[in-house]
């Protein structure tokens, strides 16, 4: 906000001056006609105004500090204030503090400072800042000096305030180099720059201005960029694009010939840009991008700024600071269910320790880089790496990949800069910091590890992108892709273990380590630091980290366990095959209550591994996946959702085929039924008398006996048709009379028939 310029000796109050703000002031306003409206163009002249000093009582000052609304930090000065007069006179060429191609002229700054010194040297020689502020002499001396020097009072007052704001530093009266003429900023001149026309030198007045050419304003450069971006295509020449741009933005009128063909009349040549200006300013159509806006500072930070080696100035302790960053993996994956099904590229998040460049944790998955992937990578720092490596088939010891949580984490705006992430880090007692934008050197250690792993692991896999776009005529990487995410993860872990345990780093050995005979590997150095107590933190509580780091998915409790909802569905569909339960869950009554009505709940699930999940039920409790397939537990959520989508489509296609086959089978069966009915009717029609109901439904045992006999004969190799069963007595006797005498006679006939 400002600088404290004076403290009352008895400590009762302080005086402070607010830092001035750079604000544009409209010196001139020009109007220029467009094809639809008139646009007002304001020049960006900077006004640098310093307000009067303010007096604050000590009680109010302490109260603001205690409440957190105000803080006091050590303030410095701009770097160019440290220049000596000799350096300013020589334009600072030997030191290269001001670049040779810069528009700044330090010798002119020195002349301006001498003029300002001459205006206020009598005041600052007789009175100090205490007398000007607490004594109230600023206004009186400013008016007196303004009458003597015959200059405006505001000019003297502003020079005194600049002197006080700089705490009496003599270079505080230098021009404000930090608010004008930076590298990468566009320059706008009041007159057309460059060598003037030879003919124009001999002319005067308006005719000379016309011959000198058109001077571009900010709106003109904007129109040239828009026209270049719109019309300049690979098959369009520069002349055609220039003419189309002039027709869009610089027409005088539009005439119609025969009321059909429009004829555009352009402005005079002295009132519109030339082809050379279109070629210079048109290609800068990407000027509004952040990388273009910060080109000057980013270029200086990355290529010219001297490296300070800040890491060597800190304590040589393990876990004091770590860097976190995300990058895409240069590989193309296939689905675990089918090698022919390709998946999008994955992203990798690394956590690299500062003092040893030891890779503490990672997260690799299909999720885009965000605070979620950053928290999952931090969670991996303190999880059991032995179990993680055992799941993918890489057996290690606990010392091969040490679990540790850093005390301070530095990342960019995309990894941990979110309210939930900040609250999570605060709950885990981890401080966070953020690197400068467009400054990869601020976290170059983790950037180098991305490049190392891409070279050691990604670029050796089939279907790798090699970190570049496909060249013309080159085979598509989707055609070469044949590895799953799990297969690539094995090689990634092996590359990390090689980096941590086997690569020689003798430059990290201190004299104490050399006396103790420590091997020049990161593993040996980290173990030695832990043994000697050169550590800054200890692992955090896993339960608290999981509660905040793992993403939440909507789920429901059924009678057999907890089922997860599909995050892609808006209707709350369940993901097939994902049912989580545990022994402790059956001991509660929640599953019993869920048999009557499902209970909604949130489940914490790692997107990279479906084997286990967690729910917040009287603390973070672990659940395991109910499945007979051990490989399902190792799949990622994206891979399983892809498999479910494929299964759903396959089931849809199979259902259509099933319906077609079922319809064909029903029709064929119905035809057989009709043929059998016709054959039966034909045989019944050949009888002299239609058989009775009793004759149709009776005599089943005799028919079965005859059928079995025919089957036995066929099994012996004798072709024989089944014999027609002998007629029964019931077929010959009318059973209509059911009197006792008639029944007795029927029984006698049956007995005689059997005999």
């Amino acid at each position: 906000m400002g600088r404290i310029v004076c403290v009352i000796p008895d400590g009762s109050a302080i005086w402070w001056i607010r830092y001035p703000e750079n604000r544009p002031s409209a010196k001139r306003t020009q109007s220029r006609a467009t094809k639809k409206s008139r646009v007002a163009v304001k020049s960006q002249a900077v006004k640098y105004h310093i307000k009067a000093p303010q007096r604050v009582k000590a009680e109010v000052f302490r109260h603001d500090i205690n409440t957190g609304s105000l803080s006091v930090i050590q303030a410095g000065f701009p770097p160019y204030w440290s220049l000596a007069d000799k350096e300013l006179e020589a334009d600072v060429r030997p030191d290269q503090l001001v670049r040779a191609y810069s528009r700044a002229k330090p010798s002119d700054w020195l002349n301006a400072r001498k003029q300002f010194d001459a205006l206020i040297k009598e005041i600052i020689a007789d009175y100090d800042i205490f007398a000007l502020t607490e004594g109230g002499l600023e206004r009186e001396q400013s008016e007196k000096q303004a009458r003597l020097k015959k200059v405006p009072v505001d000019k003297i007052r502003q020079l005194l305030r600049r002197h006080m704001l700089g705490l009496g530093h003599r270079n505080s009266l230098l021009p404000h180099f930090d608010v004008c003429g930076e590298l990468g900023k566009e320059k706008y001149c009041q007159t057309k720059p460059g060598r003037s026309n030879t003919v124009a030198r001999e002319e005067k007045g308006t005719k000379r201005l016309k011959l000198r050419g058109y001077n571009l304003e900010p709106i003109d450069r904007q129109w040239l960029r828009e026209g270049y971006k719109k019309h300049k295509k690979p098959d369009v020449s520069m002349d055609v694009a220039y003419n189309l741009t002039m027709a869009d933005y610089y027409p005088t009128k539009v005439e119609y010939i025969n009321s059909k063909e429009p004829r555009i009349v352009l402005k005079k040549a002295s009132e519109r840009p030339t082809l050379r200006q279109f070629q210079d300013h048109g290609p800068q159509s990407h000027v509004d991008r952040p990388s273009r806006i910060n080109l000057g500072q980013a270029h200086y930070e990355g290529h010219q700024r001297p490296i300070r080696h800040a890491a060597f100035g800190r304590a040589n302790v393990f876990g004091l600071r770590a860097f976190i960053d995300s990058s895409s993996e240069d590989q193309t994956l296939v689905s675990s269910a089918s090698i022919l099904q390709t998946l999008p590229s994955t992203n990798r998040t690394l956590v690299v320790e500062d003092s040893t460049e030891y890779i503490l944790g990672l997260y690799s998955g299909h999720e885009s880089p965000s605070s979620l992937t950053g928290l999952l990578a931090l969670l991996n720092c303190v999880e059991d790496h032995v179990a993680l490596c055992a799941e993918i088939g890489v057996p290690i010891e606990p010392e091969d990949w040490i679990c540790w949580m850093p005390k301070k984490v530095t990342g960019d705006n995309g990894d941990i800069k979110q309210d939930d992430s900040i609250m999570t880090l605060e709950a885990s007692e981890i401080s966070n910091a953020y690197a400068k934008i467009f400054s990869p050197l601020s976290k170059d250690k983790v950037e180098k590890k991305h490049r190392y792993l891409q070279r050691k692991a990604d670029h050796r896999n089939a279907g790798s992108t090699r970190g570049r776009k496909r060249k013309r005529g080159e085979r598509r990487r989707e055609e070469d892709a044949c590895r799953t995410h799990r297969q690539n993860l094995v090689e990634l872990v092996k590359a990390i273990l090689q980096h941590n345990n086997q690569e020689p780093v003798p430059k990290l050995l201190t004299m104490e380590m050399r006396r103790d005979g420590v091997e020049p590997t990161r593993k040996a150095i980290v173990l030695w630091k832990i043994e000697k107590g050169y550590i800054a933190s200890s692992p955090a509580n896993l339960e608290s980290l999981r509660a905040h780091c793992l993403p939440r998915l909507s789920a429901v409790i059924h009678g057999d366990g907890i089922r997860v909802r599909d995050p892609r569905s808006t209707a709350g569909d369940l993901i097939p095959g994902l049912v989580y339960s545990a022994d402790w869950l059956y001991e509660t009554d929640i599953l019993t209550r869920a048999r009557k009505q499902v209970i909604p709940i949130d489940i914490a699930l790692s997107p990279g591994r479906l084997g286990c999940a967690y729910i917040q039920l009287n603390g973070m409790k672990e659940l395991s996946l109910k499945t007979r397939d051990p490989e399902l537990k190792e799949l990622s959520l994206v891979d399983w959702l892809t498999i479910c989508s494929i299964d759903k489509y396959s089931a849809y296609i199979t259902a259509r085929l099933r319906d077609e086959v079922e319809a064909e089978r029903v029709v064929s069966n119905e035809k057989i039924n009709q043929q059998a009915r016709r054959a039966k009717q034909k045989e019944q029609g050949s009888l002299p008398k239609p058989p009775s109901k009793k004759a149709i439904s009776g005599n089943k045992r005799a028919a079965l006996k005859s059928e079995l006999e025919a089957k036995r004969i066929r099994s012996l190799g004798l072709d024989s048709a089944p014999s027609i069963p002998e007629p029964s007595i019931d077929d010959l006797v009318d059973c209509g009379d059911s009197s006792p005498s008639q029944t007795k006679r029927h029984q006698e006939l049956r007995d005689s028939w059997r005999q």
Side-chain angles (χ1 to χ4, degrees), residues 28 187-197 200 208-217 221 269-278 280-281:
R28 68 183 187 275
K187 181 180 179 181
Y188 296 97
C189 303
Q190 294 183 359
T191 59
K192 188 176 183 299
R195 184 179 179 180
S196 59
N197 191 357
R208 181 180 181 180
L209 295 177
K210 291 182 179 180
L211 292 175
R212 288 191 60 181
Y214 182 76
N215 187 26
L216 295 180
E217 296 291 338
R221 298 186 183 184
S270 60
E271 298 179 0
R272 55 185 170 87
T274 62
L275 177 61
R276 179 61 182 271
Q277 291 173 329
F278 179 73
D280 292 341
H281 300 279

Side-chain angles (χ1 to χ4, degrees), residues 739-755:
S739 59
S741 58
Q742 187 71 14
T743 302
K744 184 177 179 181
R745 191 170 66 86
H746 287 170
Q747 186 63 32
E748 292 177 354
L749 289 174
R750 290 191 185 95
D751 294 342
S752 63
W753 184 272
R754 293 189 180 94
Q755 292 178 0

Side-chain angles (χ1 to χ4, degrees), residues 95-138:
D95 297 10
Q96 293 297 319
L97 294 178
V98 177
R99 290 167 287 278
Y101 46 82
S102 175
R103 299 192 301 269
K105 294 183 178 180
S107 57
D108 295 342
W109 307 349
L110 181 60
N111 296 332
R113 195 200 70 184
K114 291 179 180 179
Q115 296 177 4
F116 296 152
D117 284 337
L119 294 177
I120 62 172
K121 64 179 181 179
E122 291 84 358
I123 301 178
I124 61 179
D126 298 337
Y127 305 101
D128 56 1
I129 298 179
F130 176 79
L132 294 174
T133 55
E134 186 68 17
L137 299 178
E138 176 195 0

Side-chain angles (χ1 to χ4, degrees), residues 308-409:
R308 296 182 177 274
H309 294 291
F312 293 93
R314 292 189 292 269
N316 188 20
V317 296
F318 176 71
L320 178 63
R321 183 184 181 187
F323 297 95
I324 184 172
D325 187 61
S326 300
S327 178
S328 60
E329 295 183 331
D330 300 339
Q331 56 192 7
T332 304
L333 306 177
V334 297
S335 176
S336 300
S338 174
I339 301 180
L340 302 179
Q341 181 68 35
T342 58
L343 298 178
S345 299
T346 53
N347 298 285
R348 177 189 304 141
T349 305
L350 293 180
V351 181
V352 179
E353 203 269 334
D354 184 18
S355 63
T356 60
E357 299 184 8
Y358 191 91
I359 299 179
L360 295 173
L362 85 154
Y363 178 76
S364 176
H366 294 274
E367 294 78 18
S368 300
S370 60
S371 61
L372 169 62
T373 58
L375 292 177
L376 291 175
L378 290 174
L379 178 62
N380 182 257
C381 294
V382 290
E383 280 189 331
D384 188 7
H385 292 144
V386 177
L388 173 65
C389 295
E391 292 175 358
I392 61 177
V394 183
I396 63 172
E397 299 295 331
E399 296 180 352
D400 293 338
W401 198 351
I402 299 172
C403 301
W404 207 269
M405 176 60 70
K407 194 68 176 179
K408 182 179 181 180
V409 180

